[in-house]
Amino acid sequence: MTPPPEPDHDEARVAELQAVLDSVTDAIIVLDRELAIQSFNTAAEQMFGRSKNSLRGHPLPLLMPPPAVRQIDAALATLTGPDHRPRMVMAGEMPVRRADGTEFIADVRISRTGADVGSRFTMIVRDVTESHMAFDCLEAMNRKIAESLSLQQTVLEGTSCAVIACDTEGRIVLFNAGAERMLGYAAEEMLFRATPLCLHDDAEIAARARELSDELGVAVEPGYAVFSAKSMRGLADEREWTLRHRDGRPVPVLLSLSALRDDAGQVSGFVGIAHDLSEARRLEEMTSDFVATVSHELRTPLTSIRGAIRLLAADASSLSAPAARLLEIADKNCSRLATMVNDILDLEKIDRRSMQFDCRPHSLAQVIDEAVRSLQPFADSFAVRVDWQAPAGDWQAVIDAGRITQVAVNLLSNAIKFSPRRSCVTVGIGHAAGGLRVSVRDCGPGIAEDFRSRIFGKFAQAGSAGLRGHGGSGLGLAISKAIVEQHGGTIGFDSAVGHGSEFYFELPFESVAAA
Ligand code: ADP
């Protein structure tokens, strides 16, 4: 025999059901066909900001503006249709209203409940404000990404630079329009098929591998590694290369290489941006040819004018004093012009890397001694004393004596011409950490802070140098730097404005030891 049900069994089930309903976060509201609210869960009270009393028995329009109520009505009509199908409909998203009058967007679905068809309906209301906001955010982000992608694409395709990206194995994954124009290949024939090695000469790759091995202290294979070795270590890698156009002609470029990294910071590939230097090279060559031609053309007539002036000046007795003075000025100006023409020709040789050096063992002290002697008349004309004691001992170095004399003469003549009258210029030779050091110290105006970084540049002269009548071309130090560096040495200066300068150059032990 079945035991009779416990007296509070129904009550317990109702309480259990209510507890389940109250544990969900969606609002659950039971309505009758007249849209009066019959029951609801705790989430409904919280979502609409209403107490039990302000919900129970009240009409649904309390919670919704008229368009939403119409949407609900239509849904109920579907549920109570003649074939009583379906049991549930999605009423869709609609605005609903809190007790304080604020509205939010809710997703509403309704199902039929109750024993009599069409007497009771359960409405499940989900607040979709956050998912809407997330969606809006996502949409805004997508728009931004699309904009930035289109910007990148426009820049990538519009730039005249060749942009080539590769994966870690060296396969080309990006070959922009600039690369197509510069190198004559179509992107399709390069993408995922070729590596950048096909754009380079083997010899240049091999030379770069040796250079990188020395610089990084690890063996760098002469292959794709030459493009990745520095950038994968986070080092800047920008240098000139000669690429090969599809038709075989060389294309000089300035190529800068960077590593691409994924979210985790791992290297995922490399990108190279190449700037075509062909036009710049052509212009440089034209300028250099022009300068060389003009300078050569100037040198021959200048030599003959100078010869004529000196011939006339030699017969001083036949000249009046003003005429002799004029010849003296003309001779000085000829000398200045000759120096300038020679400087320009030297500079042009340096630029073309065609300056010849005849390096042999020489006594550096003797070279300096000769430079000082040759400038003695110049120092006298400025009333400047040159303090130089040729040191005892062996100061042998492997140098081009003529070129090192040129450097010493330049430093010394600068020191003399920038020194106050009756002051002293001190020339010294000694040992330095790197080899031998020659220094020239003066008590002149010093080098202004803002001029220091430019002083070794071509045609560099401090603002007032010309005005004070020191003359010169602003080329001497640029030439001296190139000569010293060609010997593997360094040139520099220390200076305090108003307290003079010390210019020096150092020749490395190798050239000294080789002697
Ligand atoms: P130049 O002397 O023919 O102008 P340089 O290249 O030898 O060309 O020197 C460049 C400039 O550097 C000079 O014009 C001058 O402004 C500055 N300079 C060089 N040496 C000295 C020095 N010893 N004292 C002050 N300024 C100097």
Side-chain angles (χ1 to χ4, degrees):
M1 208 170 88
T2 324
E6 303 241 340
D8 57 353
H9 182 79
D10 280 351
E11 241 173 79
R13 278 197 57 197
V14 168
E16 194 180 80
L17 207 60
Q18 189 61 43
V20 170
L21 289 178
D22 287 344
S23 68
V24 296
T25 51
D26 292 341
I28 300 176
I29 298 170
V30 178
L31 304 168
D32 62 17
R33 186 62 188 93
E34 275 67 50
L35 300 185
I37 299 170
Q38 299 304 317
S39 59
F40 44 85
N41 67 347
T42 312
E45 291 173 49
Q46 286 163 353
M47 193 179 287
F48 291 96
R50 291 185 178 274
S51 65
K52 284 187 173 55
N53 289 341
S54 68
L55 281 174
R56 186 166 291 116
H58 285 274
L60 187 65
L62 180 78
L63 307 178
M64 293 178 174
V69 176
R70 280 198 291 279
Q71 246 174 291
I72 299 290
D73 235 2
L76 295 192
T78 314
L79 286 172
T80 54
D83 57 353
H84 303 317
R85 275 190 227 172
R87 280 191 69 80
M88 187 171 103
V89 286
M90 311 292 221
E93 288 189 358
M94 59 190 75
V96 293
R97 195 185 289 144
R98 295 190 190 90
D100 62 10
T102 54
E103 288 188 357
F104 58 95
I105 301 293
D107 176 57
V108 179
R109 57 194 65 186
I110 304 175
S111 56
R112 255 185 296 121
T113 42
D116 295 339
V117 171
S119 65
R120 284 281 196 280
F121 302 92
T122 302
M123 192 168 88
I124 301 174
V125 184
R126 174 167 293 178
D127 183 347
V128 290
T129 316
E130 273 183 15
S131 60
H132 262 238
M133 272 164 55
F135 185 74
D136 288 350
C137 266
L138 214 62
E139 240 185 7
M141 263 168 61
N142 278 342
R143 262 199 311 277
K144 281 260 168 290
I145 291 171
E147 275 168 23
S148 124
L149 279 177
S150 123
L151 180 74
Q152 282 175 19
Q153 194 62 24
T154 313
V155 172
L156 214 54
E157 294 310 308
T159 177
S160 61
C161 291
V163 183
I164 301 172
C166 300
D167 60 17
T168 45
E169 263 92 62
R171 269 185 307 255
I172 294 179
V173 293
L174 174 88
F175 198 82
N176 78 334
E180 291 183 318
R181 285 191 293 270
M182 193 184 290
L183 300 163
Y185 292 93
E188 298 87 72
E189 53 187 329
M190 301 304 272
L191 292 180
F192 305 102
R193 295 186 185 176
T195 81
L197 289 171
C198 71
L199 306 169
H200 290 260
D201 276 342
D202 292 348
E204 202 180 14
I205 296 284
R208 181 62 177 154
R210 284 194 297 276
E211 206 176 283
L212 284 168
S213 303
D214 285 350
E215 188 182 336
L216 302 173
V218 291
V220 176
E221 292 297 314
Y224 181 62
V226 299
F227 305 119
S228 58
K230 281 187 96 173
S231 53
M232 72 186 303
R233 289 171 170 80
L235 301 170
D237 189 354
E238 184 174 79
R239 68 190 298 275
E240 291 183 16
W241 286 90
T242 304
L243 302 183
R244 285 269 154 222
H245 189 276
R246 190 180 187 165
D247 63 15
R249 91 184 118 91
V251 183
V253 295
L254 179 70
L255 176 63
S256 73
L257 296 161
S258 323
L260 298 167
R261 289 179 190 273
D262 61 19
D263 290 350
Q266 297 296 314
V267 173
S268 58
F270 300 90
V271 63
I273 301 179
H275 179 73
D276 193 344
L277 299 177
S278 310
E279 188 56 18
R281 286 277 160 81
R282 206 176 60 80
L283 284 176
E284 265 171 29
E285 239 162 66
M286 274 171 63
T287 315
S288 160
D289 282 350
F290 174 75
V291 169
T293 313
V294 170
S295 307
H296 275 295
E297 292 305 312
L298 276 176
R299 212 145 67 153
T300 320
L302 200 59
T303 314
S304 86
I305 295 170
R306 226 164 145 193
I309 291 171
R310 288 190 177 167
L311 214 64
L312 285 174
D315 191 10
S317 56
S318 66
L319 295 171
S320 65
R325 174 86 192 112
L326 277 177
L327 279 183
E328 196 186 322
I329 292 171
D331 186 41
K332 263 195 189 152
N333 281 324
C334 268
S335 298
R336 279 183 61 185
L337 202 54
T339 308
M340 194 176 279
V341 168
N342 285 337
D343 279 356
I344 290 175
L345 282 171
D346 275 352
L347 205 67
E348 185 266 327
K349 279 188 207 142
I350 288 166
D351 284 348
R352 283 183 186 237
R353 296 189 177 85
S354 66
M355 188 179 255
Q356 300 292 323
F357 286 87
D358 180 15
C359 290
R360 294 158 193 266
H362 282 282
S363 159
L364 190 58
Q366 203 178 327
V367 167
I368 304 303
D369 193 59
E370 275 159 27
V372 173
R373 281 171 199 278
S374 72
L375 281 174
Q376 198 52 59
F378 186 67
D380 293 344
S381 69
F382 280 81
V384 169
R385 187 165 62 83
V386 179
D387 184 6
W388 155 253
Q389 303 292 326
D394 190 15
W395 298 87
Q396 289 287 309
V398 178
I399 51 173
D400 181 317
R403 291 295 177 191
I404 292 296
T405 305
Q406 190 178 349
V407 175
V409 164
N410 181 248
L411 298 191
L412 188 52
S413 65
N414 277 349
I416 293 169
K417 71 184 179 187
F418 287 105
S419 285
R421 290 178 75 79
R422 280 180 289 283
S423 67
C424 177
V425 166
T426 310
V427 183
I429 182 168
H431 291 281
L436 291 181
R437 175 186 168 107
V438 175
S439 61
V440 180
R441 188 150 38 83
D442 65 57
C443 307
I447 313 296
E449 197 72 49
D450 65 344
F451 182 56
R452 291 182 185 187
S453 61
R454 291 183 289 126
I455 196 165
F456 289 105
K458 294 176 200 169
F459 302 104
Q461 288 189 309
S464 56
L467 297 177
R468 288 209 313 269
H470 292 298
S473 58
L475 291 175
L477 287 179
I479 294 169
S480 300
K481 183 171 190 294
I483 293 174
V484 171
E485 285 176 356
Q486 199 65 42
H487 281 80
T490 53
I491 189 167
F493 66 93
D494 294 312
S495 177
V497 176
H499 295 95
S501 317
E502 179 176 290
F503 279 80
Y504 59 85
F505 62 91
E506 291 178 6
L507 297 175
F509 274 128
E510 299 86 73
S511 70
V512 175

